[in-house]
Amino acid sequence: MSMLEIEALNVWFGKSRNRVDAVKGATFTVAQGESFGLVGESGSGKSTILRAVTGLAPTWSGGISVAGAKVIKKRPKSFFKTVQMVFQDPYASLHPRHSVDQVLGETLHLHGFRSIDDRVVKLLDDVGLGQKFRFRYPHQLSGGQRQRVAIARALAPEPKLLLLDEPTSALDVSVQAEILNLLADLREEHKLTYLMVSHDLSVVGHMCDRLAVMKDGEIVEIMDVAALRALQATHPYSQQLLQAS
Ligand code: ADP
Ligand code: MG
C-alpha cells in the first residue's frame, strides 16, 4: 500500500502579479514503511510540499492521498493521528513558556489519550531523553534535546507518516548524526514512513530508500538511493548536485 500519494500537485502563494508558483506538477508516491527524500537547492519547493500535505499551505491543486484516503482542504483532527511534521528549527517550534511535560501532555490530551503520565514517560524514553527532562523548559535544553522533544511531540499521536523538514540542519554538526540515528531507530521500532527534506545528499543517502530531486518547484528526477550512491543521475541538474557534494 502507498502511505502517501502526491499527484500533479501545484502550490502557489499570493495573487495575480504577486503570485509565486512554489510547486509545479509534483507527482510521487511513498510506500508504507519507506523513507523518501526530497532534495534540491533552497527555494526549490521542498518545504512547501510538506506544508501542503499538513495543511500549512492553503492554496493548492492536484491530489494528495494519505493511507489511501484523499486529503481534503479542511483536515479533521484524526488526520493528525496519521500525519505529523517535525520542523527544522526546534527553537522556533517549541513554546518557550511550556515545559516538556506540558508540550507532551497537552498533545496527548488533544488526541484523546488516557494514562497521560505513563505516555509522557514512555515518549521521553523513546527519544532517549528520560524522566529527568520532563519538567524542563526549552531554554534549559540543548538544540539536540529540543529536537528530541519536538520528535516526541510528533510521535505522541502514534502517527504512521512523519514529515521531516531538514530535522538536523539547525543543529550543531556534532549532534546531527545522533538525531539521524534516533530517527532511523524510531522508524524501525514504530514502523513509520518518512518523507524527509534535506539539502544534504549524504543525509538522504544515509536515511532514505528513494529520493526526488527538485528544481524551481518541479521534480526533475526520482531515483533509488542505490543510484545516488553509484552517482547515476540522469537529469543534468541531479548530476550537478551530485558533483557538488
Ligand atoms: P525550500 O524548502 O526548497 O527551500 P520553499 O518550499 O520554502 O523552498 O519555498 C519555495 C518557494 O516558495 C520560494 O520561492 C519561496 O520564496 C516561496 N514561498 C514559500 N513560502 C511562502 C509564503 N508563505 N509566501 C510567499 N512565498 C512563499
Ligand atoms: Mg525548506
Side-chain angles (χ1 to χ4, degrees):
M1 189 189 68
S2 49
M3 182 54 69
L4 176 67
E5 282 178 51
I6 303 283
E7 176 68 36
L9 178 70
N10 298 303
V11 188
W12 61 96
F13 300 100
K15 280 194 189 137
S16 55
R17 267 187 298 126
N18 296 321
R19 174 165 160 152
V20 176
D21 289 289
V23 177
K24 295 174 275 191
T27 297
F28 62 95
T29 301
V30 184
Q32 182 173 15
E34 191 178 24
S35 177
F36 190 93
L38 280 178
V39 303
E41 64 199 11
S42 175
S44 58
K46 307 179 297 295
S47 298
T48 301
I49 288 184
L50 303 199
R51 295 170 75 85
V53 173
T54 46
L56 295 169
T59 47
W60 56 273
S61 67
I64 303 175
S65 299
V66 171
K70 274 243 172 291
V71 171
I72 51 169
K73 305 252 157 155
K74 178 103 185 70
R75 289 159 185 72
K77 201 164 82 182
S78 62
F79 176 80
F80 297 100
K81 265 184 141 10
T82 309
V83 183
Q84 282 285 315
M85 182 150 165
V86 176
F87 296 89
Q88 175 172 8
D89 184 359
Y91 295 83
S93 74
L94 294 176
H95 191 295
R97 285 193 294 278
H98 289 182
S99 69
V100 172
D101 186 63
Q102 275 173 292
V103 169
L104 301 180
E106 278 166 19
T107 306
L108 288 163
H109 181 74
L110 182 77
H111 286 279
F113 287 101
R114 292 168 189 235
S115 319
I116 288 187
D117 277 350
D118 292 348
R119 283 181 181 272
V120 167
V121 169
K122 170 80 165 54
L123 283 168
L124 287 173
D125 283 341
D126 282 351
V127 298
L129 282 175
Q131 283 271 46
K132 64 177 189 287
F133 290 92
R134 183 166 170 189
F135 297 103
R136 292 209 193 167
Y137 287 84
H139 73 269
Q140 298 169 312
L141 302 172
S142 70
Q145 289 162 351
R146 284 182 212 202
Q147 196 57 306
R148 286 175 193 264
V149 173
I151 292 166
R153 176 179 57 189
L155 291 177
E158 302 184 336
K160 296 186 172 70
L161 172 62
L162 275 194
L163 309 175
L164 301 158
D165 194 356
E166 311 222 24
T168 58
S169 60
L171 305 176
D172 288 346
V173 176
S174 60
V175 294
Q176 287 183 2
E178 273 176 35
I179 299 295
L180 292 173
N181 288 337
L182 171 68
L183 287 168
D185 291 347
L186 289 170
R187 182 160 77 99
E188 244 185 61
E189 284 158 24
H190 297 258
K191 309 256 179 295
L192 295 164
T193 303
Y194 285 173
L195 175 57
M196 179 181 226
V197 167
S198 181
H199 62 262
D200 186 338
L201 279 177
S202 68
V203 167
V204 167
H206 179 62
M207 296 290 295
C208 300
D209 306 311
R210 287 189 305 142
L211 69 144
V213 179
M214 292 192 72
K215 182 170 170 48
D216 302 330
E218 292 180 85
I219 291 180
V220 296
E221 181 155 19
I222 293 177
M223 60 180 171
D224 285 346
V225 160
L228 173 78
R229 292 213 184 95
L231 299 177
Q232 290 164 342
T234 53
H235 190 279
Y237 175 70
S238 318
Q239 289 170 349
Q240 210 182 310
L241 209 62
L242 280 176
Q243 276 152 17
S245 64

